[in-house]
Amino acid sequence: MESLVQQGGGERRAGRLPAALLARLRHILLFAALGALGTLAHYAVLIGLVQGGVAGPVAGSTAGFLVGALVNYQLNRRIVFHSHKPHPEALAKFFVIAGIGLVLNALLMALATATLGAPYLLAQIAVTGLLVLWHYGGNALWTFREARRPLS
């Protein structure tokens, strides 16, 4: 049972919100830390394609994004969200979220590099930072969210 705590003329529930908030922050940090592996794969493909003269920044970033998404699906399903959803359902939802992220990534990279003239790696770092929030929210709230079981 939670206790009420007097605070500045008001009351708040002790222990509930801070613990839940702390747990969510730890979960986001785990998501981001493991997502760094997918990001590393993304950047390796991006840099390899651009520096090798095979592709421009937008195409290289798109190819890298797809490789990183495949890495992240496995890490998110198994470690971050401990999902028991069947692969076809989880994978389809994951790639809807990733596909929207891919479009956002390409648009933001085009804006940053072609329109604003930003260096492609600096632009990719900024875009990646923005898209972490999109991917976490989409995957937590939709892709890997388990149905609540009714209490018996």
Side-chain angles (χ1 to χ4, degrees):
M1 183 171 201
E2 297 173 356
S3 62
L4 295 177
V5 176
Q6 292 290 111
Q7 184 178 14
E11 294 180 340
R12 68 174 181 86
R13 299 212 178 266
R16 181 84 171 160
L17 182 59
L21 182 58
L22 186 59
R24 177 64 63 188
L25 289 174
R26 280 194 295 251
H27 199 239
I28 292 171
L29 287 174
L30 175 63
F31 175 85
L34 292 177
L37 296 173
T39 300
L40 182 63
H42 176 168
Y43 283 35
V45 171
L46 167 63
I47 293 167
L49 291 175
V50 172
Q51 296 302 318
V54 177
V58 175
S61 178
T62 301
F65 187 96
L66 292 171
V67 171
L70 290 171
V71 170
N72 282 332
Y73 170 74
Q74 288 300 326
L75 295 173
N76 285 328
R77 185 175 195 282
R78 293 173 188 228
I79 299 170
V80 176
F81 296 105
H82 304 287
S83 179
H84 298 294
K85 284 188 174 185
H87 276 295
E89 177 187 355
L91 192 61
K93 287 180 175 184
F94 183 87
F95 274 100
V96 167
I97 297 299
I100 293 168
L102 174 63
V103 171
L104 291 171
N105 182 76
L107 291 173
L108 291 170
M109 281 296 290
L111 174 68
T113 59
T115 305
L116 301 176
Y120 77 93
L121 282 177
L122 182 62
Q124 188 64 71
I125 290 167
V127 169
T128 299
L130 291 171
L131 291 180
V132 164
L133 298 174
W134 163 255
H135 290 283
Y136 179 80
N139 287 311
L141 296 173
W142 188 52
T143 304
F144 297 112
R145 186 176 193 158
E146 300 290 337
R148 294 183 187 214
R149 296 181 184 156
L151 297 175
S152 299

